[in-house]
């Protein structure tokens, strides 16, 4: 009765295995090659192979050219070790169509513990795998898009803070290596749309390749319209994309052995060259390269990204170019308005003017030295509010007015008052600071009387022959143009201060670009200036004084203009 029940149960199991939609196979590892010895009808429905074509063959016949070899090796290791394994393989049906096959293989042992069969269960999971692959591809595409946006933002930010054309080109190249390229070069035209290009920026992942790429640029001597990729792009042609460059330099430059030799050392794989444009004109060519063995193979998608970056860079570079042109004109104007310091009997005079880097890089700082006809020495320094061409022009006007009044022998207070009257009456400038010092001829002992007036300017410093430092901050008054009634005939006038100076005395006048620095304490910087002056060797020449002061006290980033005037009263 029990035997009949067992047989009935076994028949039911066999019928269930045959009738199920799940593909079952049985192989015999005791035969050579572990061939299949039985397959159910679902195997035929899944693979297209009838039982007579499958039995007697190893199930490897389902594999094809794109089957993952690593997964096949894992299955082989599991079978040799007589353990269960589940893998997903790309298999191929009888008609050649591919499908993703999830295979679960289990060993079967007899009562003696000997391996007699392997049972395999297969199921088509193509839809699940495709969905997962699409999900991963979408995530990868989204991450790539985010990376591109980050690169665009970084390149834009870097060029926005550029200080000039060269700096903008270098920042552009640095922002693209190594994220988009192993090597990057920017060739800028002398004039938009024409001229001879200059390789202004080169950045390489490997520092040694930096000079090699520069050398290749020199050897090829790119110019607008030449047969090279760069020449065509500079001429306004379409961007260049070469996904796979020749491995040998002789194939890339058959007529240029020197360039071919440099090319071989660079190990180049792929290249893109795009035009950097602004306001409808080509300014430069942006060249991006990858290298063997790990460099990417550029595609149209990369080319579109490079073109977008070059478009953003074009406006920044063109603005920097226009800015430099305006700056050069402004600095030329400003320097033309400043005097040439000439020798004056009985004194040493040295002056320096440093141009800041913020705004339009030009301001209203000025100085003057006057060998007056009555034998006195006139010294002036000032700063017109603003950092533009208007401030520079106002500076020139104010300096001319002060010179005129000082030349007539006016006292310092009255000279600044009359400047104030003219500034307010003719609206020459908004406001300005100034110091005017009149140094009288020496008396019988060689000493000189120093008379000064200060209209809101940093106090001059006086270093006496014995090393005593004095800040000339007496009788200070408001800035020129600040108070309408000041300086008028009916109103109060500026007071003056007088001091007797021994031979060998040093006088230092300066503008606030030396002490008023963003993010730093002005009092501390003033103390540094005074300490530097006090530590100078006694009797130091005026030229040595200004060099030492600028060397110690100039801020790392000079945002504002600096005018400095040193006068040593000779013994």
């Amino acid at each position: 009765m029990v035997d009949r029940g067992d047989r009935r149960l076994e028949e039911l199991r066999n019928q269930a295995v045959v009738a199920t939609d799940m593909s079952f196979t049985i192989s015999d590892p005791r035969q050579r090659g572990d061939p299949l010895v039985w397959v159910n009808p679902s195997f035929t429905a899944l693979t297209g192979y009838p039982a007579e074509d499958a039995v007697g063959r190893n199930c490897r016949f389902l594999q094809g050219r794109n089957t993952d070899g690593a997964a096949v090796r894992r299955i082989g290791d599991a079978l040799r070790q007589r353990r269960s394994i589940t893998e997903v393989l790309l298999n191929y049906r009888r008609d050649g169509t591919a499908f993703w096959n999830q295979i679960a293989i289990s060993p079967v042992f007899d009562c003696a513990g000997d391996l007699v069969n392997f049972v395999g269960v297969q199921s088509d999971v193509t839809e699940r795998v495709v969905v997962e692959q699409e999900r991963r591809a979408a995530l990868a595409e989204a991450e790539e898009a985010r990376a591109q946006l980050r690169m665009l933002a970084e390149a834009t930010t870097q060029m926005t803070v550029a200080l000039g054309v060269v700096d903008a080109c270098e920042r552009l190249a640095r922002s693209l290596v190594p994220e988009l390229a192993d090597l990057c070069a920017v060739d800028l035209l002398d004039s938009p749309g024409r001229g001879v290009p200059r390789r202004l920026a080169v950045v390489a992942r490997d520092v040694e390749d930096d000079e090699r790429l520069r050398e290749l640029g020199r050897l090829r001597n790119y110019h607008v319209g030449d047969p090279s990729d760069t020449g065509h792009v500079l001429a306004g042609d379409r961007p260049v994309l070469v996904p796979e460059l020749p491995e040998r330099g002789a194939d890339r430059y058959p007529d240029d052995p020197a360039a071919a030799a440099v090319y071989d050392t660079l190990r180049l794989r792929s290249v893109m060259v795009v035009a950097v444009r602004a306001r409808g004109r080509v300014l430069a060519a942006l060249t991006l390269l990858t290298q063997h063995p790990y460099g990417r193979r550029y595609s149209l998608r990369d080319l579109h990204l490079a073109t977008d970056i070059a478009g953003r860079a074009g406006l920044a570079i063109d603005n920097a170019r226009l800015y430099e042109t305006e700056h050069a004109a402004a600095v030329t104007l400003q320097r033309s308005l400043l005097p040439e310091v000439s020798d004056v009997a009985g004194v040493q005079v040295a002056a320096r003017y440093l141009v800041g880097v913020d705004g339009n890089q030009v301001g209203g700082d000025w100085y003057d030295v006057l060998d007056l006809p009555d034998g006195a020495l006139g010294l002036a320094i000032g700063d017109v509010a603003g950092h533009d061409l208007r401030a520079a022009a106002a500076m020139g006007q104010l300096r001319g007015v002060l010179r005129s009044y000082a030349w007539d022998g006016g006292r310092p207070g009255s000279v600044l008052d009359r400047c104030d009257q003219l500034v307010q009456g003719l609206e020459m400038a908004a406001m300005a600071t100034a110091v005017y010092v009149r140094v009288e001829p020496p008396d019988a002992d060689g000493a000189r009387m120093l008379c000064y007036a200060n209209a809101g300017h940093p106090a001059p410093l006086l270093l006496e022959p014995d090393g005593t430092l004095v800040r000339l901050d007496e009788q200070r008054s408001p800035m020129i143009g600040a108070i309408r009634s000041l300086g008028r005939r009916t109103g109060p006038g500026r007071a003056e201060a007088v001091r007797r100076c021994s031979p060998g005395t040093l006088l230092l006048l300066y503008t606030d670009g030396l002490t008023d620095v963003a993010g730093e304490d002005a009092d501390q910087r003033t103390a540094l200036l005074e300490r530097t002056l006090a530590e100078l060797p006694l009797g130091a020449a005026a030229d040595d004084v200004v060099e030492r002061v600028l060397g110690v006290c100039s801020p790392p980033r000079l945002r504002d203009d600096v005018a400095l005037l040193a006068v040593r009263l000779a013994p």
Side-chain angles (χ1 to χ4, degrees), residues 511-524:
T511 56
D512 62 4
L514 204 60
T515 54
D516 293 355
V517 179
E520 298 190 40
D521 186 271
D523 291 337
Q524 291 181 2

Side-chain angles (χ1 to χ4, degrees), residues 264-331:
D264 287 334
T265 64
L266 288 172
R267 315 174 312 283
L268 300 179
R269 180 184 182 184
S270 191
V271 63
M272 296 185 294
V273 186
V274 297
V276 178
R277 301 173 183 268
R279 299 174 175 90
R281 300 172 300 180
V282 176
L283 304 180
L286 173 65
T287 302
L288 301 167
L289 301 127
T290 61
Q291 296 173 291
H292 288 290
Y294 304 115
R296 66 203 292 172
R297 182 181 183 274
Y298 284 137
S299 63
L300 283 175
R301 185 169 186 171
D302 296 315
L303 185 64
H304 293 154
L305 174 61
T307 303
D308 192 358
I309 292 174
R312 297 179 181 223
L315 191 57
I317 292 174
D318 196 41
N319 286 340
R321 181 184 60 82
L322 295 173
Y323 171 78
E324 286 184 348
T325 301
E326 179 182 345
H327 165 57
V331 170

Side-chain angles (χ1 to χ4, degrees), residues 340-402:
E340 292 288 338
V341 176
S342 57
D343 294 334
V344 179
V347 296
Q348 295 176 4
V349 181
R352 296 290 187 275
Y353 187 87
L354 303 181
V355 180
V357 297
D358 278 5
N360 286 319
Q361 295 194 1
V362 63
D365 294 26
W366 58 280
Y367 59 85
D368 210 343
V369 180
L370 301 171
D371 191 3
L372 301 173
D374 59 4
L377 176 67
L379 304 172
I381 195 163
D383 185 0
V384 175
H387 293 83
D388 52 23
L389 289 174
R390 187 180 309 165
M395 174 269 289
Q397 292 176 311
L398 184 59
R399 173 175 165 263
V401 170
L402 187 144

Side-chain angles (χ1 to χ4, degrees), residues 163-451:
L163 301 179
V165 173
V166 175
D167 190 31
C169 293
E170 290 178 346
R171 287 174 179 270
L172 169 62
R174 284 197 298 270
S175 68
L176 302 180
V177 176
E179 284 76 9
L180 187 59
D182 296 320
L183 297 162
C184 180
V186 182
D187 296 284
L188 185 75
L189 290 170
D190 289 334
S191 301
R194 58 188 177 86
V196 178
R198 292 176 296 147
R199 182 150 282 186
L200 286 193
V202 171
V203 175
R205 183 193 292 266
D206 186 344
V207 176
E208 295 181 356
D209 290 332
D210 188 304
E211 183 54 36
R212 293 169 182 162
L213 189 58
R214 290 184 185 275
E215 178 63 17
L216 186 61
R218 288 190 290 267
L219 291 171
R220 296 306 296 165
N221 191 25
Y222 302 117
H223 59 273
V224 177
D226 70 16
S228 69
D229 297 335
T230 303
H232 284 306
V233 170
L234 289 171
D237 293 342
R238 299 177 64 183
V240 173
L241 169 64
V242 183
E244 288 288 348
L245 287 167
E247 290 188 11
R248 298 171 60 248
D251 297 329
R252 179 66 171 172
Y253 303 117
D255 57 343
D256 193 339
V262 177
Y263 179 93
D264 287 334
T265 64
L266 288 172
R267 315 174 312 283
L268 300 179
R269 180 184 182 184
S270 191
V271 63
M272 296 185 294
V273 186
V274 297
V276 178
R277 301 173 183 268
R279 299 174 175 90
R281 300 172 300 180
V282 176
L283 304 180
L286 173 65
T287 302
L288 301 167
L289 301 127
T290 61
Q291 296 173 291
H292 288 290
Y294 304 115
R296 66 203 292 172
R297 182 181 183 274
Y298 284 137
S299 63
L300 283 175
R301 185 169 186 171
D302 296 315
L303 185 64
H304 293 154
L305 174 61
T307 303
D308 192 358
I309 292 174
R312 297 179 181 223
L315 191 57
I317 292 174
D318 196 41
N319 286 340
R321 181 184 60 82
L322 295 173
Y323 171 78
E324 286 184 348
T325 301
E326 179 182 345
H327 165 57
V331 170
T332 301
L333 168 63
Q334 187 169 29
R335 293 195 183 278
S336 69
L337 296 173
L338 293 174
E340 292 288 338
V341 176
S342 57
D343 294 334
V344 179
V347 296
Q348 295 176 4
V349 181
R352 296 290 187 275
Y353 187 87
L354 303 181
V355 180
V357 297
D358 278 5
N360 286 319
Q361 295 194 1
V362 63
D365 294 26
W366 58 280
Y367 59 85
D368 210 343
V369 180
L370 301 171
D371 191 3
L372 301 173
D374 59 4
L377 176 67
L379 304 172
I381 195 163
D383 185 0
V384 175
H387 293 83
D388 52 23
L389 289 174
R390 187 180 309 165
M395 174 269 289
Q397 292 176 311
L398 184 59
R399 173 175 165 263
V401 170
L402 187 144
R403 274 192 147 201
S404 175
Y405 294 147
W407 198 258
D408 289 340
R411 302 289 296 175
S414 66
V415 169
L416 294 184
D417 284 343
R418 297 183 70 180
C419 287
D420 206 337
Q421 295 168 24
L422 206 59
V423 164
Q424 294 191 44
L426 300 181
E427 298 182 349
M428 289 168 44
M431 285 189 294
T433 67
V435 171
Y436 176 55
V437 181
R438 180 180 167 90
V439 184
E440 300 296 337
D443 58 20
D445 297 330
R448 295 170 180 257
M449 295 304 296
L450 183 149
C451 181

Side-chain angles (χ1 to χ4, degrees), residues 78 419 533 535 540 571:
C419 287
L533 200 62
E535 292 172 354

